[in-house]
Amino acid sequence: MNKRTPLVAGNWKMNGRQELLGDMAQALAGYHGEAQVVVCPPFPYLAAARATLPETVGVGGQNLSDQEDGAFTGEVSAPMLAEVGCGHVIIGHSERRALYGETDACIADKFARAQAAGLVPILCVGETLEEREAGHTEQVVRRQLLAVVDAVGIAAFAQAVVAYEPVWAIGTGKTASPEQAQEVHADLRRTLAEKDPAIADSLRLLYGGSVKADNAGLLFAQSDIDGGLIGGASLTADSFIAICQAAK
Ligand code: PEP
């Protein structure tokens, strides 16, 4: 099995101000753990994040346009994110899918735009509670993943990250058990291995959904969980650093 470097990404969503960036920069300056760390604040703070956070910490966008630069008021393109110092971008977060109607096809376009600008996409997949209760979890996450694989090709996943985020666990305080999460992660890796075993083996698969300092260790200890995408607990420096330290 490949030794994958763990990755922990903080998704601030539409939260945080300049002050949080200052706290995070100070706390992360003292972080020397094994995990690669990426901070994803809202768009207005990206340039400041790149200027303030330690160089070893990556900066990521939470979304991007599926279009090139042009007459798309309110949108932000992949080259803009790259120019202000982003190395990563979250794509297909369940809030984007549910609240802004992002389809699998739109998400695949965004994935391609991100990579064309040199950004590493963090592609989110995950089932709703209804889908889980109906026994459709694997079917849903495979569909979401394969929609992108089929559009961009499996080779593109050599430079990508996938985050499994069960919708019922995001912001609810209900975490998937380590076994539940591992089961889905293993299935996602198997799905990719059918296309390219080496890429599947090296791909980082993050878990997201109410990860906290006290449950991160057990989740990250699972063989197919390579770190986390962290929402609420990335909004205070102490809890975010504790989660980063749990990834080894
Ligand atoms: C997220 O927003 O991607 C997320 C996982 O949020 P939380 O950690 O708050 O559940």
Side-chain angles (χ1 to χ4, degrees):
M1 203 239 267
N2 198 311
K3 172 86 179 91
R4 297 176 287 268
T5 303
L7 172 65
V8 177
N11 173 17
W12 290 12
K13 313 191 189 199
M14 201 169 74
N15 295 299
R17 296 284 190 275
Q18 202 80 37
E19 191 185 354
L20 177 57
L21 200 49
D23 289 351
M24 214 48 90
Q26 202 173 15
L28 283 167
Y31 168 77
H32 303 291
E34 284 173 42
Q36 181 187 358
V37 177
V38 176
V39 174
C40 305
F43 289 140
Y45 302 110
L46 289 170
R50 184 58 289 152
T52 344
L53 293 169
E55 265 176 40
T56 48
V57 173
V59 174
Q62 299 175 13
N63 182 31
L64 80 169
S65 175
D66 59 352
Q67 303 293 324
E68 278 285 2
D69 295 331
F72 302 102
T73 302
E75 292 290 281
V76 171
S77 72
M80 292 173 186
L81 292 180
E83 195 172 53
V84 297
C86 290
H88 291 75
V89 60
I90 298 170
I91 298 181
H93 191 280
S94 64
E95 288 153 17
R96 302 291 323 168
R97 293 178 190 260
L99 303 176
Y100 300 96
E102 292 194 7
T103 61
D104 287 338
C106 154
I107 288 160
D109 288 344
K110 290 186 175 199
F111 188 105
R113 292 275 184 217
Q115 286 197 323
L119 300 169
V120 175
I122 301 175
L123 171 67
C124 300
V125 299
E127 82 288 3
T128 63
L129 187 59
E130 295 69 40
E131 289 164 340
R132 172 162 283 264
E133 286 177 348
H136 295 154
T137 299
E138 258 97 34
Q139 185 190 325
V140 169
V141 298
R142 275 186 217 158
R143 189 207 75 228
Q144 292 171 335
L145 178 64
L146 290 174
V148 181
V149 175
D150 291 345
V152 301
I154 185 67
F157 281 74
Q159 299 300 332
V161 175
V162 172
Y164 168 56
E165 298 208 303
V167 178
W168 49 272
I170 297 179
T172 59
K174 283 188 211 149
T175 318
S177 70
E179 296 72 25
Q180 280 176 319
Q182 165 60 25
E183 196 180 347
V184 179
H185 280 231
D187 185 69
L188 288 169
R189 205 179 295 286
R190 259 193 314 272
T191 302
L192 291 172
E194 284 166 18
K195 309 271 179 190
D196 188 316
I199 287 179
D201 193 37
S202 62
L203 181 89
R204 264 111 41 107
L205 282 174
L206 312 185
Y207 169 77
S210 297
V211 177
K212 308 281 178 235
D214 61 2
N215 60 24
L218 276 180
L219 286 159
F220 298 166
Q222 302 301 307
S223 58
D224 287 297
I225 301 184
D226 309 308
L229 180 55
I230 318 300
S234 74
L235 297 176
T236 48
D238 286 354
S239 60
F240 187 56
I241 300 272
I243 292 169
C244 294
Q245 266 154 353
K248 28 186 169 251

